[in-house]
């Protein structure tokens, strides 16, 4: 039995911590970009449908599983899943709930450290008077480890270590530290976001210039909020919407299970889950859509936004746009923007540390401080490659290899695999009758019976469709031609972006085979080596955690035999 007796201090603290877990950098950086790249308003309907059919049901599943496991003193996914199914292999599916958090935190904390650094630069007025190109160059200089924008040697590494140390210190304070950080961070990001959103709503055509005479913030809003019903028949948009839903709600990671495992057996989970989910959606769909895209469209035009929308806009473009507001307001806006991103980031990265801490405290009797600092050291070890080799530039081509590999395999595919496994376990193995009773126990709201059948059939089947669709993605994403070719005896032609061919580096090898320039061949060879190294680190991390889970299982079996004697 675990000696871990921590508990949440208050219901509002739990809800804010859960909301902070979900509200992260993706709400403000990933959502607007995904919306633009998938047709703006064409993205909204599939996104909201995915929220109802997958987002809310998975939240309820994870809260129910977490509280159920917590009754037996389990605070990490391997043994939470183990209590719900008789087969021994479920605990190893639970490894994803620890692995994903460590792998994602390894690069997530680096991005988080950028926001910390940019708050410093906004306060010091670094971006005042800078042209757009100079702001973009500043970001690239910052990411070049050997260069410095402040005179501090290895500046990016220093801010990364400071950011990681802050996360570790807060985690060492236990749930009280996480709860306190959420009570400060979530309200602050809402206040900062409201200020910037108001500016996005009221900018209008004030930012138009001779270079961009058609600039209009309302064009950005109209692009995002004009629904296009033809998107309902576009599988690509649906897949993008489902992926964003996983990312934004932080489901399929194990953090929700861990947080829920610390609540009391009769505490409400149905309303708490919905409250945290809708708070996240408000921040993402309302605040997230009112800042970057409208402000950028208000100064640069909607056509520029469509062509240049990307993750880097937050750092390469926004400081320049803020500078148009005057020196005092621009510095304040920079502090608000990057402060918002920092608070959104740290409340999420703290959540990523709790599954590891719960596991080490439960199974190996680690103290809070020991568990927290062991988490920090592991993140440092696996995160440094994403810092030191964030960008590899060869012959004018920039590759973000470690970052992309970590993000795809841990931040995308692991979420789908784990969410599929837990949905099947909850609905079909544990049983929907028991699962529904667990969800409603102590509930302050009446959950529509409709969701019982959604959780039993729709959610698991949709998740399996997403996973197998990625595993066997046909060439060019043309499913009709793939099935036609299969039934006519021509086989199933896989796309290079399918999981099967990505694991074999087929696309890279084909490009290298077609290359004639020795320098390009050398670049691609180096890229393949780095890709394999990144995947090797991820595999070693997963196997290492699996070994620890097996050792913990043996310890439990030994303790059971001792108790019987």
């Amino acid at each position: 039995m675990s000696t871990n007796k921590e508990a949440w201090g208050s219901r509002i603290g739990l809800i804010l911590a859960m909301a902070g877990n979900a509200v992260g950098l993706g709400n403000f950086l990933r959502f607007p970009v995904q919306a633009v790249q998938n047709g703006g308003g064409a993205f909204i309907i599939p996104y909201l449908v995915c929220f109802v059919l997958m987002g809310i049901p998975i939240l309820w599943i994870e809260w129910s599983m977490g509280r159920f496991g917590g009754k037996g003193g389990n605070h990490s996914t391997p043994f939470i899943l183990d209590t719900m199914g008789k087969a021994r292999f479920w605990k190893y599916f639970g490894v994803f709930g620890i692995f994903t958090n460590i792998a994602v935190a390894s690069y997530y904390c680096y991005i988080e450290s950028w926001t910390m650094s940019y708050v410093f630069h906004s306060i010091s007025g670094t971006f005042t008077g800078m042209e757009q190109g100079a702001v973009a160059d500043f970001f690239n200089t910052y990411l070049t480890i050997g260069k410095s924008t402040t005179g501090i040697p290895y500046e990016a590494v220093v801010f990364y270590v400071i950011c990681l140390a802050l996360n570790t210190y807060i985690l060492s304070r236990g749930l009280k530290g996480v709860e306190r950080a959420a009570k400060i961070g979530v309200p602050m990001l809402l206040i900062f976001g409201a200020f910037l959103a108001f500016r996005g709503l009221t900018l209008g055509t004030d930012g138009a210039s001779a270079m961009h005479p058609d600039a209009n913030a309302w064009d950005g809003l109209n692009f995002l909020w004009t629904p296009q019903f033809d998107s309902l028949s576009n599988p690509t948009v649906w897949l993008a919407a489902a992926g964003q839903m996983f990312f934004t709600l932080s489901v399929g990671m194990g953090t929700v299970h861990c947080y829920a495992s610390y609540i009391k057996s009769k505490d409400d989970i149905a309303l708490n889950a919905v409250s945290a989910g809708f708070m996240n959606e408000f921040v993402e769909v309302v605040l997230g859509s009112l800042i970057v895209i409208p402000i950028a469209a208000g100064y640069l035009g909607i056509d520029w936004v469509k062509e240049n929308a990307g993750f880097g806009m937050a750092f390469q473009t926004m400081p320049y746009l803020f500078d148009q507001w005057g020196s005092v307001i621009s510095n304040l806006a920079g502090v608000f923007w990057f402060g918002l991103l920092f608070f959104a980031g740290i409340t999420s990265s703290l959540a990523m540390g709790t599954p590891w801490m719960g596991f080490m405290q439960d199974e190996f009797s680690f103290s809070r401080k020991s568990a927290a600092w062991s988490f920090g050291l592991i993140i440092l070890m696996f995160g440094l490659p994403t810092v030191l080799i964030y960008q590899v530039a060869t012959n004018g081509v920039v590759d973000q290899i470690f970052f992309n590999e970590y993000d795809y395999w841990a931040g995308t595919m692991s979420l789908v695999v784990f969410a599929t496994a837990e949905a099947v376990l909850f609905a079909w193995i544990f049983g929907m009758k028991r699962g529904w009773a667990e969800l409603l126990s102590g509930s302050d709201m009446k959950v529509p019976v409709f969701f019982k059948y959604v959780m039993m059939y729709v959610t698991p089947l949709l998740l399996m469709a997403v996973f197998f669709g990625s595993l066997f993605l046909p060439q060019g994403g043309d499913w009709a031609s793939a099935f036609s070719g299969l039934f006519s005896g021509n086989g199933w032609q896989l796309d290079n972006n399918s999981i099967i061919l990505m694991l074999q580096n087929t696309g890279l090898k084909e490009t290298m085979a077609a290359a004639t320039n020795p320098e390009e061949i050398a670049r691609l060879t180096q890229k393949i080596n780095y890709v394999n190294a990144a995947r090797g680190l991820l595999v070693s991390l997963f196997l290492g955690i699996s070994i620890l889970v097996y050792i913990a299982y043996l310890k439990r079996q030994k303790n059971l035999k001792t108790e019987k004697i």
Side-chain angles (χ1 to χ4, degrees):
M1 175 66 72
S2 170
T3 57
N4 185 352
K5 302 299 182 182
E6 288 197 272
W8 295 102
S10 64
R11 181 170 183 172
I12 187 63
L14 168 63
I15 292 175
L16 288 175
M18 282 287 195
N21 167 40
V23 175
L25 297 172
N27 294 70
F28 300 98
L29 304 183
R30 197 175 191 270
F31 173 75
V33 172
Q34 285 290 307
V36 169
Q37 293 176 347
N38 288 280
F43 184 76
I44 294 298
I45 297 175
Y47 177 81
L48 294 177
V49 171
C50 285
F51 176 66
V52 173
L53 296 183
M54 286 198 291
I56 290 297
I58 295 176
L59 279 174
W60 278 333
I61 287 172
E62 294 194 346
W63 276 74
S64 300
M65 294 175 74
R67 186 177 67 176
F68 181 82
K71 293 175 184 177
N74 299 299
H75 304 96
S76 61
T77 52
F79 291 100
I80 288 176
L81 267 62
D82 191 52
T83 62
M84 304 187 74
K86 294 181 180 179
R88 292 183 179 179
F89 63 77
W90 285 113
K91 67 175 68 68
Y92 299 106
F93 269 110
V95 170
F96 281 101
I98 300 176
F99 160 79
T100 300
N101 288 286
I102 292 176
V104 171
S106 296
Y107 67 86
Y108 195 91
C109 285
Y110 185 37
I111 303 172
E112 191 180 306
S113 73
W114 301 350
T115 68
M116 178 185 286
S117 171
Y118 269 61
V119 167
F120 167 79
H121 284 291
S122 295
I123 293 173
S124 61
T126 299
F127 305 113
T128 302
M130 271 194 184
E131 294 297 325
Q132 185 179 355
V135 173
D137 290 341
F138 177 93
F139 180 66
N140 292 326
T141 300
Y142 179 81
L143 295 179
T144 304
I145 300 300
K147 299 180 181 179
S148 175
T149 61
T150 59
I152 301 172
Y154 299 99
E155 177 185 353
V157 179
V158 170
F159 274 104
Y160 175 66
V161 172
I162 292 173
C163 184
L164 187 53
L166 178 61
N167 274 269
T168 304
Y169 171 74
I170 295 173
L171 284 171
S172 72
R173 311 301 294 175
L175 289 185
K176 290 182 180 179
V178 173
E179 190 172 340
R180 187 172 299 172
K183 286 181 176 179
I184 296 171
V186 174
M188 289 298 287
L189 73 87
L190 290 174
I191 293 169
F192 290 172
F195 170 83
L196 295 167
F198 177 78
R199 182 56 176 160
L201 275 172
T202 59
L203 180 59
T205 59
D206 294 346
S209 62
M211 186 175 295
H212 301 284
D214 298 324
N216 187 340
W218 286 100
D219 288 342
L221 291 171
N222 289 333
F223 178 69
L224 288 177
W225 284 102
T226 303
Q228 298 177 22
F229 292 95
D230 58 351
S231 65
L232 296 177
S233 60
N234 188 338
T236 303
V237 177
W238 280 96
L239 286 173
Q244 177 62 23
M245 184 54 57
F246 283 116
F247 195 91
T248 187
L249 290 176
S250 298
V251 293
M253 292 185 70
T255 52
V256 173
H257 302 78
C258 183
Y259 276 9
S261 70
Y262 289 101
I263 65 177
K264 297 175 182 177
S265 60
K266 290 299 181 181
D267 282 353
D268 169 78
I269 55 176
L271 183 58
N272 286 353
V274 171
S275 300
F278 273 97
M279 184 180 292
N280 174 77
E281 291 310 293
F282 169 78
V283 172
E284 177 158 290
V285 177
V286 179
L287 294 184
S289 65
L290 290 178
I291 301 176
V292 175
I293 303 306
I295 293 176
Y299 284 100
L300 305 171
I302 190 62
D303 291 334
W304 184 95
V305 172
K306 291 178 183 178
E307 292 176 7
N308 296 278
F311 182 80
M313 279 181 63
F315 301 92
Q316 294 174 296
T317 306
M318 296 303 286
Y320 166 74
L321 301 182
F322 294 150
D323 194 46
Q324 311 309 305
W325 301 356
S327 58
V328 176
I329 300 298
S330 67
N331 291 352
L332 185 64
V335 171
F336 279 13
W337 172 238
F338 295 110
L340 174 158
L341 293 178
F342 174 73
F343 284 124
I346 196 167
T347 51
S348 294
S349 57
L350 289 173
M352 295 175 197
T354 53
W356 169 264
M357 290 187 60
F359 175 67
M360 298 306 289
Q361 287 177 273
D362 285 355
E363 311 305 330
F364 298 99
S365 302
F366 271 40
S367 66
R368 286 201 309 263
K369 290 184 178 180
S370 298
W373 288 105
S374 65
F375 174 77
L377 288 173
I378 292 172
I379 297 302
L380 181 63
M381 181 173 64
F382 282 92
L384 277 178
T386 70
V387 180
L388 300 176
I389 319 176
Y390 175 73
Q391 293 186 150
V392 181
T394 310
N395 300 328
V397 179
V398 178
D399 294 313
Q400 298 170 342
I401 301 170
F402 278 85
F403 181 91
N404 289 341
E405 289 298 308
Y406 279 26
D407 185 52
Y408 180 78
W409 296 109
T412 304
M413 288 315 306
S414 286
L415 306 187
V416 177
V417 171
F418 186 50
T420 304
E422 66 181 356
V424 170
L425 172 62
F426 184 82
W428 300 348
I429 307 300
F430 184 69
M432 198 62 236
K433 183 177 180 180
R434 295 173 66 194
W436 189 251
E438 179 65 33
L439 172 64
L440 297 183
S441 177
S443 174
D444 293 332
M445 68 174 288
K446 186 176 181 180
V447 181
V449 178
F450 161 77
F451 280 103
K452 180 177 182 179
Y453 300 99
V454 169
M455 293 162 71
M456 188 168 186
Y457 300 111
V458 178
T459 303
L461 292 174
L462 279 176
L463 287 167
M464 284 190 279
V466 171
F467 173 68
F468 287 109
S470 301
L471 189 66
F472 300 108
L473 182 68
Q475 197 168 57
D478 190 342
W479 292 89
S481 297
F483 279 109
S484 176
L486 181 64
F487 293 133
S488 63
N490 294 324
W492 185 281
Q493 300 299 315
L494 291 172
D495 192 88
N496 286 339
N497 289 320
S498 66
I499 295 176
I500 292 175
L501 294 191
M502 285 187 69
L503 287 171
Q504 301 174 46
N505 293 323
T506 301
L508 286 173
K509 291 176 180 177
E510 288 179 354
T511 304
M512 188 166 67
T516 56
N517 186 331
E519 293 181 347
E520 178 66 6
I521 293 173
R523 182 187 76 83
L524 291 168
T525 301
Q526 181 189 54
K527 183 173 183 178
I528 291 174
N529 291 335
Y530 277 140
V531 164
N532 291 335
R535 292 176 186 173
L537 285 173
L538 292 175
V539 170
S540 66
L541 175 61
F542 189 89
L543 291 176
I545 297 171
S546 298
I547 291 170
L548 287 177
V549 168
Y550 180 67
I551 293 172
Y553 166 72
L554 293 180
K555 285 184 64 178
R556 287 188 172 214
Q557 294 299 109
K558 183 178 179 180
N559 290 337
L560 284 174
K561 291 179 180 179
T562 302
E563 289 175 5
K564 289 179 180 179
I565 295 173

